[in-house]
Amino acid sequence: MRVASALCAVISSSVLLGCAATSQRPDAANEPGMKTTKASPAEADAFVATVNQEIRDHIAEDSAAQWVAATYITADTGLLESKYSERALIRLKNNIEASRRFDGMNDLSAATARGIEMLKRQSAMPTPKDPAHLAEMASLASKLGAAYGAGKYCKNPADPATCRNLDQLSKTLASSSDWDEDLEAWVGWHSVGSGMRADYQRFTELLNEGARDTGYADAGQAWRSGYDMSAADFRSEIDRLWSQVKPLYSQLQCYAHNRLATRYPGKMPADGTIPAHVTGNMWAQDWSALYPLLQPYPKVKSTDVTAALEAQKYTPEKMVRSAEDFYRSLGMPALPDSFYERSQLVRPRDRDVVCHASAWDLNMQGDVRIKMCITPTEEDFRTIYHELGHIYYDLAYNPLPPLFQAGAHDGFHEAIGDTVQLNLTPAYLHRIGLSPATRNDDKAVLNAQMQLALQKIVFLPFGKLIDEWRWGVFDGSIKPEQFNAAWWQLREKYQGVSAPIARSEQDFDPGSKFHVPSNYPYIRYFMAHILQFQFQRSLCEAAGFTGPLHECSVYGNKQAGEKFWAMLSKGASQPWPETLKELTGKEEMDASAILDYFAPLYTWLQQQNEGKQCNWQ
């Protein structure tokens, strides 16, 4: 997950940022009180230069407050973060208001026009003009983020020994197939969200106030306007991409439901949905834990990366250095020594921290870090490769002016490390000693494809619905008294996943997902899951690979690495379709590479589901 980027440096990132949240503001030239003195291109150039310098002047101090608040959760660090965030929001608000003097100017240089555009995209928190409301917003943002980070489920609230954090509860879900044990863990964590409901409702009211003060109808429209196209066109584009991949997901969901019915006879819902707690993941966004049940050919041995990591006594640092080696094999630079000195790689024993994996660029000059609580598992191993994708993106565009230090759009930032993950093929894992030599027969291929689809394909509808829900909250089509009901309606519609027990409006299940209380836009992850396959296909072509896409690994290929680095180096300096075209030859996102990649599995699923009841749809 991307947290702190230079583009977003002027405001709090660990709680507040979503760098592509706002964009071109509707015309403000006729607003009362606005200056009508004609500005010059030279003044616009000077303005952008001043903003860039201001970002550099403040980023280290602001980022330090955010880092400490995430890695040392106390009331004091929360207060410091809130106050820094408030001041940063004021700076951002003032700069955006000042930039309106240049609205409508057609004779600006391309760099200056783009810089002003990127300034207006910086905050997932459109800022209210009322100073009291701005301060309240910053305080609520910090409070919601801390509530999630410190969340625990205590079977007996009077006995701390019965308390379990998210890591522990998630481990239960992933390792157990006991219906009741999993249900207790699921309900336990989801109880964390209920206390956030009132604060979140007020927070969204303030977000909408800030959006209206900035010229948008609501915060959702502001978020969707940061993609070099209209908010309406962006929403249509997301729907188009989902329509490309929905048939594959539907086949996978049907197969999984029917197999789960054999594990839990008489317990699976008759409507074809899958109860969230039996998927092995707290949010049912990754079904990897179901692989032993869903594996096409159980007698064909699969690579057990977790066992290999444990047997070879991989430490957190060794896991990170393995990921660094992949990027360096493409010709990218070594990570700075400070990365290993300052990153949080393990969960501290003496304090609460936010363990949700994230990547940070704290000063736009090489102070890059990741924040994780690493354990020797395949999931964490792959996550590290993802997080370093953010880090190398940061390092690639660090030479650019601060306003251009961001992904081409936010989905790009998430897609970089995910693209690298696609290269962790059995052949690559064998090459680095984490897998025995494997034969790429048809059965082994289907097993590997199922294993990956339970992560990548399963995620797609979840990646779409999180912001579908928030867009509805923002535009009022989802009322506060419908928060939880609407959440589960969308989960059933897109995922075919249902609540395992009756839920009410006393619950606030969206609060159980980090990105909601932390106000982190989520549609980027959906786009990243589309883009990574599109990127991979192009990198494999650059490497001269001619076999099936799922067999390609560009590890060690400098030609692919050079093309990759060139894209990363562009940052946000130009509209994303131009950057995408330079790598892929196309100006639009395209999910056809997903269908290419998973073609063997798609055919097999259709055969398995033939004559079976697939009534969720």
Side-chain angles (χ1 to χ4, degrees), residues 38-47 102 105-109 112:
K38 183 174 176 58
S40 70
E43 288 174 310
D45 294 342
F47 170 77
F102 310 108
M105 291 184 64
N106 298 318
D107 50 353
L108 299 178
S109 70
T112 292

Side-chain angles (χ1 to χ4, degrees), residues 510-527:
S512 72
K513 180 61 181 171
F514 169 85
H515 301 74
V516 174
S518 295
N519 194 47
Y520 204 84
Y522 208 74
I523 201 66
R524 65 187 63 190
Y525 300 107
F526 173 83
M527 293 187 292

Side-chain angles (χ1 to χ4, degrees), residues 73 145-153 164-166 169 189 192 196 352:
I73 298 175
Y148 184 94
K152 293 182 179 66
Y153 161 63
R164 288 183 286 171
N165 59 33
L166 176 58
L169 294 166
W189 178 252
V192 170
M196 304 176 186
D352 287 326

Side-chain angles (χ1 to χ4, degrees), residues 125-447:
M125 290 177 56
T127 309
K129 291 181 178 179
D130 185 326
H133 287 179
L134 187 152
E136 183 184 4
M137 173 187 282
S139 177
L140 284 172
S142 182
K143 181 180 178 182
L144 286 164
Y148 184 94
K152 293 182 179 66
Y153 161 63
C154 300
K155 192 169 186 177
N156 178 4
D159 182 5
T162 68
C163 296
R164 288 183 286 171
N165 59 33
L166 176 58
D167 292 350
Q168 295 164 322
L169 294 166
S170 294
K171 186 176 181 179
T172 296
L173 288 182
S175 60
S176 169
S177 59
D178 181 279
W179 183 281
D180 294 329
E181 184 180 7
D182 289 346
L183 182 60
E184 181 189 7
W186 187 92
V187 172
W189 178 252
H190 281 72
S191 67
V192 170
S194 60
M196 304 176 186
R197 187 186 181 100
D199 285 339
Y200 187 78
Q201 180 180 340
R202 176 57 178 160
F203 183 67
T204 60
E205 292 170 356
L206 293 169
L207 284 177
N208 275 341
E209 179 182 333
R212 290 191 296 270
D213 286 350
T214 313
Y216 296 98
D218 58 72
Q221 186 192 64
W223 284 15
R224 295 190 301 275
S225 296
Y227 295 95
D228 298 307
M229 62 178 67
S230 73
D233 286 347
F234 176 73
R235 196 162 196 167
S236 296
E237 182 71 356
I238 296 301
D239 289 340
R240 180 186 67 81
L241 293 169
W242 169 239
S243 71
Q244 284 186 278
V245 296
K246 181 180 177 182
L248 173 56
Y249 176 79
S250 297
Q251 291 292 329
L252 182 58
Q253 193 275 353
C254 177
Y255 174 73
H257 181 275
N258 286 316
R259 294 293 294 141
L260 284 163
T262 66
R263 173 180 283 182
Y264 303 108
K267 289 191 174 184
M268 293 296 290
D271 63 4
T273 60
I274 297 173
H277 76 298
V278 301
T279 62
N281 177 268
M282 191 62 74
W283 309 280
Q285 70 180 68
D286 182 319
W287 301 351
S288 296
L290 296 181
Y291 177 68
L293 177 69
L294 305 183
Q295 184 178 7
Y297 295 100
K299 293 183 180 179
V300 176
K301 189 175 182 181
S302 299
T303 300
D304 189 340
V305 174
T306 298
L309 292 169
E310 293 175 346
Q312 297 181 37
K313 302 187 185 309
Y314 263 70
T315 63
E317 181 175 331
K318 186 177 180 180
M319 292 167 71
V320 176
R321 290 193 182 276
S322 177
E324 180 189 7
D325 171 70
F326 189 102
Y327 289 89
R328 293 186 67 183
S329 83
L330 301 179
M332 298 184 190
L335 294 174
D337 291 341
S338 60
F339 172 87
Y340 289 99
E341 295 165 357
R342 300 172 183 176
S343 289
Q344 174 190 290
L345 302 182
V346 298
R347 179 187 282 274
R349 296 181 179 180
D350 61 342
R351 62 187 188 271
D352 287 326
V353 299
V354 177
C355 272
H356 190 95
S358 55
W360 297 64
D361 180 358
L362 278 82
N363 70 352
M364 301 178 298
Q365 299 180 71
D367 185 0
V368 289
R369 312 177 193 179
I370 62 171
K371 175 184 61 57
M372 288 184 66
C373 299
I374 299 172
T375 56
T377 64
E378 180 174 6
E379 180 180 4
D380 281 7
F381 184 75
R382 290 181 174 273
T383 297
I384 294 165
Y385 281 71
H386 170 89
E387 297 304 333
L388 288 198
H390 294 302
I391 296 299
Y392 275 98
Y393 211 164
D394 293 334
L395 295 174
Y397 59 54
N398 270 168
L400 297 176
L403 286 169
F404 294 159
Q405 291 198 34
H409 68 48
D410 52 11
F412 276 66
H413 232 304
E414 299 300 334
I416 304 308
D418 282 356
T419 301
V420 171
Q421 285 181 339
L422 294 177
N423 292 273
L424 308 189
T425 61
Y428 166 75
L429 294 172
H430 172 64
R431 186 169 179 174
I432 64 172
L434 289 178
S435 170
T438 57
R439 231 172 11 104
N440 241 359
D441 61 30
D442 292 344
K443 292 180 179 179
V445 166
L446 285 169
N447 280 351

